[in-house]
Amino acid sequence: MKLSDLKKFEKAKVLSVDLDHQAVRKRLSDLGLQQGQEVTCLVGSPWGGVGSYQLTNGVFALEDWICKKVQVEKVDSK
C-alpha cells in the first residue's frame, strides 16, 4: 500500500521510496523517511494536497504526490 492510503493514527513501516527526483529522495532520507522506518499518519489527505506524518525525529508535512511514491506495510498499533 502507499503512504497516502494510511488513515489518521494508522502506523506503517516503510518498504521503499520510489522517487526519480534525487534531491527529494535525499531530503526524505535526511528527515528519516527511509526503508524500515516506522511512520504514523497524523492528518491524512483524502482529496490530495498535504498530509502530516510522524517519524522518530519529528512531524512532517508531505505532499500527496510524494506519499504516492512511498510503499508501506501497516503495523499493529498495540
Side-chain angles (χ1 to χ4, degrees), residues 3-74:
L3 182 59
S4 58
D5 296 331
L6 289 180
K7 307 278 189 274
K8 190 172 184 177
F9 300 124
E10 286 185 327
K11 293 183 181 197
K13 181 173 80 173
V14 177
L15 298 176
S16 66
V17 180
D18 303 316
L19 285 165
D20 292 330
H21 197 281
Q22 192 68 17
V24 175
R25 187 181 356 197
K26 175 154 179 18
R27 181 64 179 140
L28 291 177
S29 180
D30 290 347
L31 295 173
L33 188 71
Q34 51 193 326
Q35 187 175 6
Q37 176 65 44
E38 190 171 287
V39 59
T40 304
C41 176
L42 299 179
V43 178
S45 179
W47 300 285
V50 177
S52 296
Y53 300 89
Q54 181 174 4
L55 299 168
T56 317
N57 16 346
V59 175
F60 303 98
L62 298 173
E63 291 183 43
D64 193 51
W65 73 269
I66 293 173
C67 296
K68 289 182 184 293
K69 302 287 187 175
V70 179
Q71 296 294 320
V72 297
E73 176 181 63
K74 267 203 277 190

